[in-house]
Amino acid sequence: REGRFTLLSLPERVMGASFPEIKLIDLRDEEREKRQRITISEELGGAVDDALSRGEQALLFINRRGLNSALFCPECESSVKCPSCSIPMTLHRRGEGTGLLCHYCGGRRKPPEICPECFASELIGLGTGTQRVEESISKRWPEARIARLDRDAVGSEGAVELLRDFSSGRYDILVGTQMVVKGHHFPSLTVVGVLSGDDLLHFADFRAGERTFQMITQVAGRAGREDKPGVVFVQTRNPHHPVLQAVLSGNFDSWAQGE
């Protein structure tokens, strides 16, 4: 508006495709009914079933690596932290076992059997990561060809090859972090699931809302890029949040004005 920059808009999609339908799924209803935390809702799972039956593909996005984002003690309410960085260490699958990894410095340690702070309780895993999602969907869709794309699974060269294989139809379901969201073209991808639309909203960053809008909009843009219509499911426990409502309406201008 001040004229210091030029605003470039993209009012149309590549190849004239229609914009995907976006649905917000309130996980709280299903979790209250089942009395457990939900990774993949019934609505999203049903959409993946339908896509696979039509020979189409699905993308499941979660911006956390590993099995769990932290090991938490319910007794003293502490988590296992990196001794160098003082941040919670992430639980990862390592061969046949598991290990804790610091995503800042790369430090590793063996998961303790009981809380190293109070020695009074066993630890529980918090926050689902890509490895845990991959395990879960492998059980739910045992016949599907599944691939995982994150920094733990492949390097930069391997990522290009995996994305090429997914685009060519070698895999049915792709689980990935932000490595999968930008600029990729998957002709047969019709279902995208954002497994936790709230994750980025709670970062200690004044641009958290902006980054959330960017990320979800970009991952939604992977669906239905050719003649097959796409649908995007954003799972959340905060469906009335202004950022998620803006994603639902697709009205960037009014949302940016509000920011």
Side-chain angles (χ1 to χ4, degrees):
R1 290 197 308 268
E2 295 174 355
R4 294 186 295 131
F5 301 99
T6 299
L7 176 63
L8 303 178
S9 301
L10 296 174
E12 299 177 0
R13 298 192 78 195
V14 63
M15 301 176 67
S18 60
F19 287 95
E21 179 184 4
I22 297 180
K23 297 183 178 182
L24 294 183
I25 299 177
D26 189 344
L27 291 176
R28 296 173 299 178
D29 296 335
E30 191 170 332
E31 289 177 337
R32 279 193 291 263
E33 180 181 341
K34 296 183 176 181
R35 296 184 179 181
Q36 65 182 22
R37 301 284 281 187
I38 299 297
T39 301
I40 298 176
S41 63
E42 289 298 324
E43 188 173 0
L44 173 57
V48 174
D49 288 336
D50 293 342
L52 297 182
S53 69
R54 297 190 299 265
E56 298 167 358
Q57 295 172 302
L59 168 64
L60 302 178
F61 169 77
I62 184 164
N63 208 33
R64 283 197 298 253
R65 295 182 285 148
L67 291 168
N68 297 105
S69 56
L71 288 182
F72 177 78
C73 174
E75 187 68 28
C76 69
E77 300 182 352
S78 65
S79 58
V80 181
K81 293 183 173 62
C82 173
S84 300
C85 305
S86 299
I87 65 166
M89 301 185 77
T90 302
L91 186 67
H92 286 256
R93 177 76 64 200
R94 298 174 63 185
E96 297 299 321
T98 59
L100 288 169
L101 172 65
C102 175
H103 286 177
Y104 276 27
C105 71
R108 298 178 182 271
R109 66 173 293 185
K110 183 179 179 180
E113 295 183 0
I114 61 173
C115 176
E117 297 293 331
C118 69
F119 304 101
S121 174
E122 294 185 354
L123 299 164
I124 60 175
L126 295 180
T128 300
T130 49
Q131 289 181 331
R132 186 74 71 192
V133 172
E134 183 182 25
E135 290 182 356
S136 176
I137 65 175
S138 295
K139 295 176 182 178
R140 177 157 185 167
W141 293 286
E143 303 300 322
R145 299 166 296 171
I146 298 169
R148 173 169 58 90
L149 179 58
D150 57 30
R151 283 192 291 167
D152 300 317
V154 294
S156 57
E157 293 183 2
V160 173
E161 183 176 353
L162 192 153
L163 289 166
R164 187 182 298 119
D165 288 342
F166 184 67
S167 182
S168 66
R170 182 175 177 182
Y171 298 106
D172 303 309
I173 304 175
L174 178 62
V175 179
T177 59
Q178 59 186 339
M179 295 177 71
V180 307
V181 307
K182 296 183 179 179
H184 306 302
H185 184 77
F186 307 122
S188 297
L189 176 61
T190 57
V191 173
V192 167
V194 179
L195 300 189
S196 182
D198 308 318
D199 284 354
L200 293 174
L201 286 174
H202 302 301
F203 274 27
D205 182 352
F206 76 97
R207 293 180 64 184
E210 179 182 348
R211 295 184 189 280
T212 300
F213 186 94
Q214 287 179 335
M215 192 71 71
I216 296 180
T217 300
Q218 286 170 342
V219 72
R222 300 314 102 213
R225 292 171 64 87
E226 292 197 0
D227 56 340
K228 301 174 183 177
V231 59
V232 180
F233 299 87
V234 181
Q235 299 185 158
T236 175
R237 296 176 181 87
N238 190 8
H240 302 296
H241 194 286
V243 171
L244 298 183
Q245 287 296 314
V247 170
L248 182 64
S249 69
N251 192 333
F252 172 79
D253 291 337
S254 63
W255 176 79
Q257 179 68 34
E259 284 291 286

